[in-house]
Amino acid sequence: MAYNKVTEVDVAALTKIVGADRVIYPATVHYDHDQMKSVRSLPDVAVQPINDDEVAKIMAYANVHTIPVTVRGNATGLMGANVAIEHGIALDMIKMNQVLEYDPENLTITVQNGLRIRDINEYLADKRFIYVPAPAMKWATIGGNASTNAGGMRAVKYGTTRDYVRGIKVILADGTSLQLGGKTVKNSSGYDLKDLIVGSEGTLAVITELVLRLIPRPVITIDVLLPFDSVETAIKVVPKFLEAGIIPTGIEFFGSREIGYWEKYAEKQFVDHSGGGYLLLTFDGSNKDAVQADYERALEIAKNAGAKAPVLMNTADQAALVWEARNQLLTAIQATTPAMDEVDIVVPRSKIAAVLEQVHQIEETDQVRMPNFGHAGDGNLHIYICQDNYSAADFAVKVDIVIRKLYQVAKNIGGEMSGEHGIGYAREPYFAAFYGADRVALLDRIKDAFDPKHILNPDKVFPVKGETDRPNRPLELKN
Amino acid sequence: MAYNKVTEVDVAALTKIVGADRVIYPATVHYDHDQMKSVRSLPDVAVQPINDDEVAKIMAYANVHTIPVTVRGNATGLMGANVAIEHGIALDMIKMNQVLEYDPENLTITVQNGLRIRDINEYLADKRFIYVPAPAMKWATIGGNASTNAGGMRAVKYGTTRDYVRGIKVILADGTSLQLGGKTVKNSSGYDLKDLIVGSEGTLAVITELVLRLIPRPVITIDVLLPFDSVETAIKVVPKFLEAGIIPTGIEFFGSREIGYWEKYAEKQFVDHSGGGYLLLTFDGSNKDAVQADYERALEIAKNAGAKAPVLMNTADQAALVWEARNQLLTAIQATTPAMDEVDIVVPRSKIAAVLEQVHQIEETDQVRMPNFGHAGDGNLHIYICQDNYSAADFAVKVDIVIRKLYQVAKNIGGEMSGEHGIGYAREPYFAAFYGADRVALLDRIKDAFDPKHILNPDKVFPVKGETDRPNRPLELKN
């Protein structure tokens, strides 16, 4: 696809739409990367709209002039989905950060897409209802969370971001505005465009507003840390909880290795050192006794499966420290190595332990350090491939080899490439091999249906016909 | 679109695929209608595949020969979605009725699409996990439920069918087979095709297998019937429950008028006659005390809002009788009139009472009887427009007028055309006016992406370009 470079004339036109104080030209280095920093590319210009109307005008202009547009919030993504590979316009959403309506009668809150998760939580702090999805990155925007369908740490019981987006307002590539869903709980009126756009990583439309579903604030939340000999032993308990009919709110896992990195990074002591692997369990609900009963049954099951003495978080400070460690694991690992890459596979819950054994084998065979942690309750593993002493060139080769192996592991046992971080730019070369040519062809036709000139976030997710000029890296995966 | 009529040659080809005993040619009258019977059209031939491979071969053949294919289960739909408007092949799924795998470790059951809801419930009867969605029509197939994203009577707490479909195997129009999702809990790997196809009423692909999500069987279920002076008074309690943080499993509503029809139809006495309107509340959960506590708080709130003495269902027989009445309301209303039509609007929950007032006004202004009932907890109303003494011709005019008015009411307050019954053939003429030309154009391009020859269920849901030759009935709805 031949895109046009942004010219002075284009900048003048964009300035007319949003005003000079919200056009950054040339775009600064702030705009050339995401959290992972493994993909870098500078947009020609960054624009900060504050409402739908401005977004619609920007898109209409960009479409007519065949200028690529890459939407970004606070760029906490890891797969380069919001890096402007083809340059053009970065649509920076952080000034669209208003709460538009809180509606306790319908259990919804309507917000602009640039509002951060922490802002939503703060807005609701004194209300009787909460927004459930809880990603580790609290400064991520809700628009970004919707774009990758972020899962977070309560997905076991409550589901992912998609389940809490009741409606979206979107601007299509040509500037057309559509309201999809809204405050209604159900909808069987034509194709489910809302769920198609949620998780599409900014390639189908620009989400500008979201109607989010709220739930009653739990009256009680219990966190407990369970140490085990190893991560594998810890993980093997999870199916036992589920089979016993216990669905905790969250079941996080990590190892003593990862906790060690965090202690060094944060310069703090973790609350426990008895385990080789840990489960961090959360229980919540509207009835104290019921939550307490589930919690106690879970402790019993865990004990019988080899859990050491549980670390009860009796004070808010203690709980806060454990969650601080959990939420900072990614940045703590990042601090141990010059560069790293990530694999975000999701597998059937009963298969996590088997996957982790294979991860360890690959670490040994390929001589690469791969710290990991994740969501044991929903089968989603975050595996980090660390550069350490490899040269950049050797590391690139190593990463490619290891990623292929890990995707093959996931594919073999009915898993998916990504549980919540998406495919973005970094994983696009592997998509076709994982999902096959038929799937890619169908996605390609859907992309065309939304964005015939391919101006929205080019080169992302899957190989769109005529769009990417990356070297073809066919990943041979067996069915 | 110019479709080919099924010839003897085609029948021979289909017979080669599935065998003579599963080809019905010419198709019998069994195949010319659905539950509502307001739309009738006979397919040329009906075919009963038993596996994916047969479906793929049938689709590939039909696509090459431009023969329309209409998928059907037990035809319990109300909007003519599975009526073969353009004739061709009826793909009758009732022989694809196997449970393929029960997996308690991952809380899933994998089934073929022709399995009935009652069969799934029976299969799980002695297991520790249940399939949640509970439509009134227990002989509906799971494939049909997925095609309209059926809601049912537990949607308030648990969500709709879509929320319980983790993965689907589909056959595209050209015979291509795709596995979309599976046993994983999360997925952020490319566009969400699973949710796009669920609810698409058989127009995008043929669903052949489904991986369904199970939940632990509740240890307690409490049903209670609350009589009120009127349906409006009853409905107004619902936001009070939600604001108090009480989310019942289900909140059904109906009036004494509808119960009267049922008593006549069933030749039985209902359990109560003190109310003008009723709420049927269900509570369930994994902890008896918690469920009991929610139930008691709800009773208190209802009492303060005008509920009469609650009818506690102390015996299984009593509960069964009340549910029998609720599940038979549709057929009971159908028995009171030579013909009827239905509007299935869904609105924000806080607006149901306001909608019902307008329904009564329309009944008086337009002199048409409109019994109704529905799901108070999720804002979904089932409103039946009865022919009574009108001639067929006068009734057609009347239905059209009333439907327009009801859709205008829904549109004005942020509602949608259908909560769970879909658009099908019967409501397709109103779709463009409700959702606008931009939405239709986008859906049209998506349809093309899946089914370029438009062989899958033509003339349904929205006006597909070049497909329908129905008289244009522009419905003028204000924004």
Side-chain angles (χ1 to χ4, degrees):
Chain A
M1 196 65 53
Y3 297 107
N4 287 321
K5 200 172 160 57
V6 172
T7 65
E8 298 283 348
V9 174
D10 299 325
V11 173
L14 294 169
T15 303
K16 210 173 156 191
I17 296 170
V18 301
D21 55 332
R22 290 189 277 114
V23 174
I24 297 123
Y25 180 75
T28 56
V29 70
H30 169 75
Y31 289 102
D32 88 341
H33 62 278
D34 68 3
Q35 171 79 18
M36 188 63 92
K37 297 179 181 164
S38 65
V39 178
R40 286 186 182 265
S41 180
L42 199 60
D44 301 321
V45 61
V47 185
Q48 299 178 321
I50 55 167
N51 59 42
D52 280 35
D53 187 50
E54 289 182 355
V55 174
K57 285 177 178 155
I58 294 164
M59 291 310 303
Y61 184 88
N63 197 49
V64 167
H65 296 87
T66 319
I67 299 169
V69 178
T70 305
V71 184
R72 62 188 283 133
N74 273 320
T76 59
L78 300 175
M79 294 298 154
N82 47 42
V83 177
I85 300 301
E86 301 284 352
H87 317 293
I89 300 168
L91 201 59
D92 178 352
M93 292 300 191
I94 60 158
K95 296 201 167 154
M96 288 186 63
N97 59 4
Q98 302 301 302
V99 173
L100 302 174
E101 189 195 1
Y102 168 65
D103 181 351
E105 281 201 334
N106 286 302
L107 276 60
T108 59
I109 186 170
T110 306
V111 302
Q112 286 186 308
N113 69 345
L115 200 66
R116 298 173 302 178
I117 301 302
R118 60 182 297 164
D119 301 327
I120 297 174
N121 293 342
E122 270 170 33
Y123 180 90
L124 294 170
D126 62 351
K127 309 286 193 296
R128 276 187 300 190
F129 299 96
I130 62 165
Y131 173 69
V132 165
M137 299 277 188
K138 305 299 178 200
W139 62 100
T141 62
I142 181 65
N145 268 216
S147 289
T148 56
N149 185 28
M153 279 165 295
R154 295 181 188 144
V156 188
K157 179 173 171 184
Y158 291 116
T160 64
T161 300
R162 174 172 285 124
D163 302 310
Y164 292 84
V165 177
R166 287 231 187 275
I168 49 178
K169 192 181 268 188
V170 301
I171 308 295
L172 299 184
D174 66 359
T176 302
S177 172
L178 290 177
Q179 175 70 42
L180 306 172
K183 288 185 184 176
T184 64
V185 175
K186 296 155 80 174
N187 190 5
S188 291
S189 315
Y191 304 157
D192 181 10
L193 299 178
K194 186 267 284 181
D195 286 316
L196 183 64
I197 292 171
V198 169
S200 68
E201 305 191 42
T203 64
L204 294 181
V206 183
I207 300 172
T208 56
E209 286 178 23
L210 305 96
V211 181
L212 303 174
R213 168 188 171 200
L214 305 176
I215 69 160
R217 184 177 297 282
V219 297
I220 180 172
T221 301
I222 303 177
D223 295 315
V224 63
L225 184 73
L226 295 176
F228 292 80
D229 271 339
S230 69
V231 174
E232 281 79 357
T233 317
I235 294 285
K236 282 178 182 160
V237 185
V238 176
K240 293 185 206 291
F241 292 150
L242 303 180
E243 281 205 71
I246 301 169
I247 312 283
T249 304
I251 315 176
E252 298 295 298
F253 78 87
F254 41 78
S256 53
R257 170 167 70 163
E258 290 74 19
I259 286 301
Y261 300 147
W262 175 78
E263 289 185 321
K264 209 163 169 184
Y265 167 79
E267 298 181 350
K268 290 181 184 176
Q269 283 287 304
F270 192 57
V271 294
D272 182 86
H273 295 91
S274 72
Y278 292 89
L279 289 187
L280 173 54
L281 264 66
T282 305
F283 297 86
D284 72 6
S286 59
N287 183 288
K288 286 187 185 184
D289 296 339
V291 173
Q292 187 73 33
D294 267 5
Y295 159 73
E296 280 164 16
R297 281 177 62 217
L299 282 197
E300 192 62 30
I301 290 169
K303 196 179 158 192
N304 292 337
K308 298 166 191 278
V311 182
L312 311 178
M313 284 170 248
N314 294 319
T315 69
D317 280 358
Q318 226 174 351
L321 189 73
V322 172
W323 280 107
E324 182 187 326
R326 167 59 189 87
N327 288 335
Q328 293 179 344
L329 284 179
L330 163 63
T331 34
I333 293 170
Q334 214 165 6
T336 65
T337 180
M340 67 181 194
D341 219 322
E342 192 222 29
V343 164
D344 173 53
I345 51 174
V346 59
V347 298
R349 291 185 273 212
S350 64
K351 306 287 188 189
I352 309 177
V355 170
L356 284 177
E357 277 168 32
Q358 296 192 61
V359 170
H360 293 321
Q361 275 177 22
I362 296 170
E363 280 193 290
E364 290 191 12
T365 317
D366 290 279
Q367 286 293 300
V368 58
R369 188 170 57 100
M370 293 200 283
N372 57 78
F373 59 90
H375 313 289
D378 57 34
N380 186 200
L381 295 87
H382 302 323
I383 304 163
Y384 297 90
I385 308 161
C386 296
Q387 180 177 355
D388 294 346
N389 296 324
Y390 286 108
S391 71
D394 287 351
F395 183 56
V397 173
K398 185 66 80 178
V399 162
D400 185 45
I401 291 169
V402 168
I403 286 176
R404 287 170 197 235
K405 287 189 179 180
L406 291 172
Y407 285 152
Q408 183 70 62
V409 168
K411 194 171 164 67
N412 286 350
I413 56 176
E416 308 276 352
M417 281 181 77
S418 171
E420 58 176 347
H421 292 165
I423 305 298
Y425 182 74
R427 294 296 169 269
E428 180 266 354
Y430 304 89
F431 190 90
F434 199 104
Y435 291 107
D438 288 334
R439 172 96 67 115
V440 169
L442 179 57
L443 296 179
D444 199 24
R445 297 193 297 268
I446 293 171
K447 168 74 175 171
D448 272 344
F450 277 84
D451 177 17
K453 293 177 85 172
H454 298 191
I455 62 163
L456 270 171
N457 210 8
D459 304 339
K460 305 294 168 62
V461 187
F462 61 92
V464 180
K465 219 169 10 210
E467 194 171 289
T468 186
D469 55 356
R470 298 169 80 173
N472 191 23
R473 293 195 277 171
L475 168 64
E476 282 161 27
L477 290 179
K478 290 167 230 130
N479 270 307
Chain B
M1 198 64 53
Y3 297 107
N4 289 320
K5 201 170 162 55
V6 172
T7 64
E8 299 282 349
V9 174
D10 300 324
V11 172
L14 294 169
T15 303
K16 206 170 162 192
I17 297 170
V18 301
D21 55 333
R22 290 189 276 113
V23 173
I24 297 122
Y25 179 74
T28 55
V29 70
H30 170 77
Y31 288 103
D32 89 341
H33 62 277
D34 67 3
Q35 171 77 18
M36 188 63 93
K37 298 180 182 163
S38 64
V39 178
R40 287 186 180 265
S41 180
L42 199 61
D44 302 320
V45 62
V47 185
Q48 299 178 322
I50 53 167
N51 59 42
D52 280 35
D53 187 50
E54 289 182 355
V55 174
K57 285 177 179 156
I58 295 165
M59 291 310 303
Y61 183 88
N63 197 50
V64 167
H65 296 87
T66 320
I67 299 169
V69 177
T70 305
V71 184
R72 63 188 283 133
N74 273 321
T76 60
L78 301 175
M79 294 299 153
N82 46 43
V83 178
I85 301 299
E86 302 284 355
H87 317 293
I89 299 168
L91 202 59
D92 178 350
M93 292 300 191
I94 59 158
K95 295 201 168 155
M96 287 186 64
N97 60 1
Q98 301 302 304
V99 173
L100 301 174
E101 189 195 2
Y102 168 66
D103 181 351
E105 280 200 336
N106 287 300
L107 275 60
T108 59
I109 185 170
T110 306
V111 301
Q112 285 187 309
N113 68 346
L115 200 65
R116 297 174 302 178
I117 301 302
R118 61 182 297 163
D119 301 327
I120 297 174
N121 293 342
E122 268 169 34
Y123 180 90
L124 294 170
D126 63 349
K127 310 283 193 296
R128 278 187 299 190
F129 300 97
I130 61 165
Y131 173 69
V132 165
M137 299 277 188
K138 306 300 180 201
W139 63 100
T141 63
I142 182 65
N145 269 216
S147 290
T148 58
N149 185 26
M153 280 166 293
R154 295 180 189 145
V156 188
K157 179 173 172 184
Y158 291 115
T160 62
T161 300
R162 175 173 285 123
D163 302 311
Y164 292 83
V165 178
R166 288 230 187 276
I168 48 178
K169 190 180 270 190
V170 301
I171 307 295
L172 299 184
D174 65 359
T176 302
S177 171
L178 291 177
Q179 175 70 40
L180 306 171
K183 289 186 183 176
T184 65
V185 175
K186 298 156 79 176
N187 190 5
S188 289
S189 315
Y191 305 157
D192 181 10
L193 299 178
K194 185 267 283 180
D195 286 317
L196 183 64
I197 292 170
V198 169
S200 68
E201 305 189 42
T203 64
L204 294 182
V206 183
I207 301 172
T208 56
E209 286 177 24
L210 306 95
V211 182
L212 303 174
R213 167 189 171 201
L214 304 177
I215 69 161
R217 182 176 297 282
V219 297
I220 180 173
T221 301
I222 303 178
D223 296 315
V224 62
L225 183 73
L226 295 175
F228 293 80
D229 271 339
S230 69
V231 174
E232 282 80 357
T233 318
I235 295 285
K236 282 179 181 158
V237 185
V238 176
K240 294 185 207 290
F241 293 150
L242 303 179
E243 280 206 71
I246 301 169
I247 313 284
T249 304
I251 316 177
E252 298 295 297
F253 79 88
F254 41 79
S256 54
R257 171 169 65 164
E258 290 73 20
I259 286 300
Y261 301 147
W262 174 77
E263 289 185 322
K264 210 163 167 185
Y265 167 80
E267 299 181 349
K268 289 182 184 175
Q269 284 284 304
F270 194 56
V271 294
D272 182 86
H273 294 91
S274 73
Y278 293 89
L279 290 185
L280 173 53
L281 265 66
T282 306
F283 297 86
D284 72 6
S286 59
N287 183 288
K288 285 187 186 186
D289 296 338
V291 173
Q292 187 74 31
D294 267 5
Y295 159 72
E296 279 164 17
R297 283 175 62 216
L299 280 196
E300 192 62 29
I301 290 169
K303 195 178 159 195
N304 292 336
K308 298 165 192 281
V311 182
L312 312 178
M313 284 168 247
N314 294 320
T315 67
D317 280 357
Q318 227 172 350
L321 188 71
V322 172
W323 280 107
E324 182 187 327
R326 167 60 190 85
N327 288 335
Q328 292 180 345
L329 283 179
L330 162 64
T331 33
I333 294 169
Q334 213 165 7
T336 66
T337 179
M340 67 181 195
D341 218 324
E342 192 222 28
V343 164
D344 173 53
I345 52 175
V346 59
V347 299
R349 292 185 272 213
S350 65
K351 307 286 189 189
I352 309 177
V355 170
L356 283 178
E357 278 168 31
Q358 296 191 62
V359 170
H360 292 324
Q361 274 176 24
I362 296 170
E363 280 193 290
E364 290 192 11
T365 317
D366 289 280
Q367 288 292 300
V368 59
R369 188 169 59 100
M370 294 200 285
N372 57 80
F373 60 89
H375 314 288
D378 57 34
N380 186 200
L381 295 87
H382 301 322
I383 305 164
Y384 297 90
I385 308 162
C386 295
Q387 178 177 357
D388 293 346
N389 296 325
Y390 287 108
S391 70
D394 287 352
F395 183 55
V397 174
K398 185 66 80 178
V399 162
D400 185 44
I401 291 169
V402 168
I403 286 177
R404 286 169 197 238
K405 287 188 178 180
L406 291 172
Y407 284 152
Q408 183 70 61
V409 168
K411 194 171 164 66
N412 287 349
I413 56 176
E416 309 276 353
M417 283 180 74
S418 172
E420 59 176 346
H421 292 166
I423 306 298
Y425 182 74
R427 294 297 169 268
E428 179 264 353
Y430 303 90
F431 190 90
F434 199 105
Y435 291 107
D438 288 335
R439 173 97 65 116
V440 169
L442 179 57
L443 297 180
D444 200 24
R445 296 193 298 269
I446 292 171
K447 169 73 176 172
D448 272 344
F450 277 84
D451 178 19
K453 294 178 85 173
H454 299 190
I455 62 161
L456 270 171
N457 211 7
D459 305 339
K460 304 296 167 64
V461 188
F462 61 92
V464 180
K465 221 169 8 207
E467 192 170 292
T468 184
D469 55 357
R470 297 168 81 171
N472 192 24
R473 294 194 277 171
L475 166 66
E476 281 161 26
L477 291 179
K478 291 169 227 128
N479 269 307

